[in-house]
Amino acid sequence: SSGTSLFGNGFASRHPIASHSTFVSKVLASGGCRSLLECTLAGDHPFVQDRKFGVTHLDHMSEKDRIKQIEDFDPVSKNIDILMGDMNA
């Protein structure tokens, strides 16, 4: 199964994707608009149970914009356990 978003983020897993959503950043960055794809997985493996995954691709041009984007995504308050992607740092 795979989950995708309109912004090119994707998540592939051998476990079924139980739910997914896309959060679009309000930050107007020099490298363009970014998003965060969030998902949970189904399955009996203890690693995927009760975990929320997130994937993003932060701005490639500005550290200042990357910081603003990650603050806007706020993975801690969204209870994201594992954040993946291209952080460009």
Side-chain angles (χ1 to χ4, degrees):
S1 295
S2 67
T4 60
S5 74
L6 298 174
F7 292 88
N9 295 321
F11 189 89
S13 173
R14 67 181 182 171
H15 300 283
I17 294 175
S19 67
H20 63 88
S21 61
T22 300
F23 175 80
V24 179
S25 176
K26 297 179 228 45
V27 175
L28 299 174
S30 54
C33 186
R34 303 300 172 144
S35 71
L36 173 73
L37 174 62
E38 305 170 18
C39 68
T40 59
L41 302 176
D44 58 359
H45 193 284
F47 184 77
V48 302
Q49 293 177 344
D50 300 317
R51 283 209 169 66
K52 187 185 275 188
F53 299 86
V55 63
T56 190
H57 183 122
L58 299 178
D59 187 79
H60 64 288
M61 299 179 74
S62 167
E63 179 73 13
K64 182 178 167 184
D65 288 341
R66 286 190 286 276
I67 298 298
K68 288 179 185 177
Q69 288 168 341
I70 202 69
E71 288 172 349
D72 191 34
F73 293 148
D74 196 9
V76 173
S77 74
K78 289 183 171 75
N79 296 315
I80 293 176
D81 299 295
I82 299 177
L83 181 63
M84 304 170 282
D86 191 344
M87 305 306 160
N88 281 312

